[in-house]
Amino acid sequence: MADANRLPTWLVLWLVIASPIVVLDAAFLLLRPATLPGGDLHWMFTPYALYIEVDGRYKDMTDTFGLAQAYMNLAEVVLSVIAVAMHFRRDSRTRILTLVTLMMTWWKTVAYMLQYLDICSGGDYIANNTTASLVFLFLIPNGLWLVVPLLGMISVWSSLQR
């Protein structure tokens, strides 16, 4: 990292690309039932017709954890946008805010994934899946929000050590 106040390019790209995806995800949850199949806004969320069959939490209107996660998603995006803006301004606090944002994102995803283990609620929401759909439509996409923020935390933390 040539400039101590700037982030690695891959991390800026992650924050920029992930933010609209996370907004879409939050919007899907917060605007239900209009975003569900048959709803007025479903046309904007057609890929979710498949995802709600893989992750039943997304179609369960009584699940409050999904709503809490959606609000955490919005906080994540606000902080990510601020971090990217600070990066381009070469603000000395860029790396600290990015580290905090990545930690929030990682722990939010950990909490979300824990909801599917027996110690929390069992796998009721994902029990109906084949191994292939569980791996390719649930674990890999959600796993990205564990792996990339973790790598980002390691990268930013290492740069703070210098």
Side-chain angles (χ1 to χ4, degrees), residues 14 21 51 54 109 112-113 132-149:
W14 167 259
I21 295 169
Y51 189 75
V54 174
T109 308
Y112 186 76
M113 298 301 278
S133 67
L134 187 63
V135 168
F136 292 108
L137 299 174
F138 182 77
L139 294 174
I140 291 175
N142 287 300
L144 281 175
W145 265 259
L146 290 170
V147 173
V148 177

Side-chain angles (χ1 to χ4, degrees), residues 31-119:
L31 297 173
R32 291 176 306 170
T35 57
L36 294 170
D40 295 342
L41 299 176
H42 180 67
W43 61 273
M44 292 173 30
F45 300 92
T46 53
Y48 281 88
L50 174 60
Y51 189 75
I52 64 174
E53 297 307 319
V54 174
D55 182 356
R57 175 170 308 244
Y58 270 62
K59 68 179 169 184
D60 182 353
M61 295 291 295
T62 64
D63 178 54
T64 56
F65 186 82
L67 293 176
Q69 177 233 339
Y71 287 116
M72 289 186 287
N73 278 351
L74 296 177
E76 170 188 333
V77 169
V78 168
L79 293 175
S80 293
V81 169
I82 293 170
V84 169
M86 290 171 70
H87 162 81
F88 286 111
R89 287 191 353 229
R90 289 179 162 75
D91 190 301
S92 63
R93 300 162 295 179
T94 300
R95 292 177 299 153
I96 295 293
L97 178 62
T98 303
L99 181 62
V100 169
T101 303
L102 292 168
M103 289 175 69
M104 289 174 55
T105 300
W106 190 81
W107 278 112
K108 174 204 68 179
T109 308
V110 167
Y112 186 76
M113 298 301 278
L114 284 173
Q115 294 293 310
Y116 297 97
L117 298 178
D118 288 334
I119 60 172

